[in-house]
Amino acid sequence: MVRADLNKETAQVSAMFDEVAAGYDRTRNRLWWGRMDAWGRRMAAAAHAKPGTTILDVAAGTATSSAILARAGGTVIASDFSLGMLDVAGRRHPDLSRVAADAMALPFADGSFDAVTISFGLRNIADPRVALREMRRVTKPGGRLVVCEFSMPPAALPRALWRTYLRHAVPLMGKRISSNPEAYVYLAESIQAWPSPPALAGWIGTSGWSEVAFNGLDGGVVHLHTAVAR
């Protein structure tokens, strides 16, 4: 079994996701209480997904988020560096376009998309700031960025409860229902080590994006970040 560490070496992280791809959606829905679709709909609304928009969904995994964007009317490309995840995406969402791509070196021309989204994937990239600059490069001026990512709640009690859930419940559930329990130890560690929403907003603002904003969902366990391409 492959377990990535917090250095997040690209080949190691992609191999880990290859191993969990088959059961990924089932495990994820149990871990996050079936909230993924609701978070995805908020992400699609923030991206202004509608007929006529072209959207790149980075780190799309099994394309759950991409499918939500497409249902809103956008023309969506799902990209990911895990071929195993893209294979599952192709079987579950055969009408979606898929591209194998590293978020730090996107294979698209400058200004190709009206919006770029990434849901729960920025945290798994070796250098998120490089990825944010790449996402800006492929977005049209005035286009939108939406980052949906786990976070630590700002209030003390929710933060303590969330930390307890991550440290104990997530690894235990991963051990019981996943083909690679170590991947869920990494998951819990990576969420706790992730920068605060204001710090992430700072990264976005120094990567070519303006009008940076964020708001917490479900008590702050998830934050939705938005920005506009300069």
Side-chain angles (χ1 to χ4, degrees):
M1 291 185 292
V2 178
R3 174 188 169 183
D5 57 33
L6 295 182
N7 291 324
K8 302 172 188 177
E9 194 274 321
T10 300
Q12 189 179 54
V13 175
S14 62
M16 182 182 71
F17 278 105
D18 286 346
E19 286 191 353
V20 301
Y24 181 76
D25 287 338
R26 180 189 69 249
T27 304
R28 185 172 66 169
N29 284 335
R30 293 184 183 180
L31 285 175
W32 312 129
W33 326 292
R35 293 294 294 159
M36 280 291 170
D37 280 355
W39 295 333
R41 289 192 295 272
R42 292 289 295 271
M43 176 270 297
H48 297 176
K50 58 186 178 181
T53 55
T54 55
I55 303 170
L56 175 64
D57 193 23
V58 179
T62 58
T64 300
S65 55
S66 309
I68 293 171
L69 289 162
R71 286 200 295 270
T75 299
V76 183
I77 294 178
S79 70
D80 202 281
F81 60 13
S82 166
L83 296 181
M85 297 289 267
L86 286 177
D87 181 62
V88 173
R91 286 187 271 114
R92 294 184 181 170
H93 307 287
D95 295 333
L96 283 175
S97 299
R98 293 166 292 129
V99 174
D102 184 340
M104 296 187 293
L106 294 169
F108 304 103
D110 295 0
S112 296
F113 299 96
D114 296 303
V116 178
T117 61
I118 182 166
S119 300
F120 309 104
L122 192 63
R123 177 175 37 82
N124 299 315
I125 297 169
D127 193 331
R129 282 166 282 199
V130 171
L132 287 166
R133 291 194 293 271
E134 270 293 274
M135 288 187 270
R136 167 59 191 92
R137 181 185 63 78
V138 302
T139 304
K140 298 173 183 177
R144 296 183 65 78
L145 169 72
V146 182
V147 178
C148 190
E149 187 53 86
F150 288 116
S151 50
M152 300 302 293
L157 180 58
R159 187 182 186 90
L161 293 172
W162 182 230
R163 182 178 285 114
T164 298
Y165 183 78
L166 292 172
R167 289 180 174 175
H168 301 289
V170 168
L172 179 62
M173 292 174 69
K175 185 179 294 186
R176 288 180 175 176
I177 62 179
S178 173
S179 59
N180 182 354
E182 289 298 313
Y184 293 89
V185 176
Y186 159 81
L187 170 64
E189 291 176 349
S190 68
I191 293 172
Q192 294 174 85
W194 186 240
S196 68
L200 177 54
W203 287 2
I204 295 170
T206 58
S207 299
W209 300 93
S210 62
E211 301 179 40
V212 181
F214 60 88
N215 65 293
L217 309 179
D218 290 18
V221 300
V222 169
H223 273 74
L224 197 66
H225 293 253
T226 59
V228 175
R230 294 175 189 159

